[in-house]
Amino acid sequence: MPIRLTTPIVEDFILERSDKHFGFDEAQLATKVSIRQATQFDNERRAELFAKTERIFDQNPGEVRIKSQWTIQQLKRLEVYCTLVDCNIEDSDGNPLFKFAVNNGVRSLAMSMGEFEAAWGKLPAIVANEIYAKVLEVNFDWKNPLMD
């Protein structure tokens, strides 16, 4: 029997560290995100960043320098952009910070990369880092020991 594609796995998370840091009151709604498993398309987009990496072998045996044209923060932002499918974080006016849509029963981010970058850039680092940690929980093969 041939492979039958299914909808990618989606996991829901509560941002417990962020809620605690900002004085979350249990009477209020918890901060939540939903992250989906990456597809081959997402892996290819991510690989485009790594294509801009240069490995430099010096005269010392076993010593390699790596020079890249991207930052770890750019990689994190791209990985979240590719996999974030729901989030209830609001902007300062009480509007959803991120926009989502449902197409053919599949929920996905409904923002251009530029719109996402503007919204992502408004987050406190503690929140962005916790969202990114959830991305790695679902997409563990993206975990990079250099980012620990």
Side-chain angles (χ1 to χ4, degrees):
M1 171 173 266
I3 295 171
R4 179 174 292 181
L5 298 179
T6 60
T7 305
I9 295 168
V10 174
E11 291 189 36
D12 301 320
F13 299 95
I14 294 175
L15 300 183
E16 294 174 2
R17 275 189 319 193
S18 297
D19 281 346
K20 184 177 179 182
H21 178 80
F22 290 100
F24 168 69
D25 178 354
E26 291 192 27
Q28 299 171 352
L29 186 63
T31 306
K32 299 177 184 177
V33 296
S34 298
I35 306 295
R36 77 167 166 74
Q37 187 178 42
T39 63
Q40 180 59 27
F41 180 75
D42 300 322
N43 285 319
E44 290 174 11
R45 287 188 75 175
R46 184 177 180 267
E48 289 175 12
L49 282 181
F50 290 102
K52 301 173 188 172
T53 302
E54 180 180 352
R55 289 176 186 85
I56 303 165
F57 297 89
D58 287 334
Q59 299 201 5
N60 298 333
E63 185 175 316
V64 178
R65 289 186 298 133
I66 298 175
K67 180 179 176 184
S68 67
Q69 296 179 1
W70 51 270
T71 67
I72 295 296
Q73 294 303 319
Q74 288 171 311
L75 176 63
K76 289 179 177 183
R77 185 177 61 233
L78 176 64
E79 290 176 348
V80 173
Y81 178 76
C82 288
T83 60
L84 183 69
V85 296
D86 202 10
C87 178
N88 65 352
I89 295 175
E90 298 176 347
D91 64 17
S92 58
D93 296 325
N95 299 312
L97 184 61
F98 302 104
K99 310 288 188 252
F100 302 94
V102 178
N103 295 311
N104 297 325
V106 178
R107 191 166 177 85
S108 62
L109 198 59
M111 303 172 79
S112 69
M113 178 58 96
E115 292 169 327
F116 177 80
E117 287 174 352
W120 181 254
K122 294 176 183 177
L123 291 173
I126 189 172
V127 177
N129 288 331
E130 188 170 10
I131 293 171
Y132 182 68
K134 303 309 181 191
V135 168
L136 294 182
E137 283 187 42
V138 178
N139 298 284
F140 53 87
D141 55 326
W142 282 358
K143 190 164 175 65
N144 182 336
L146 296 175
M147 294 171 19
D148 287 341

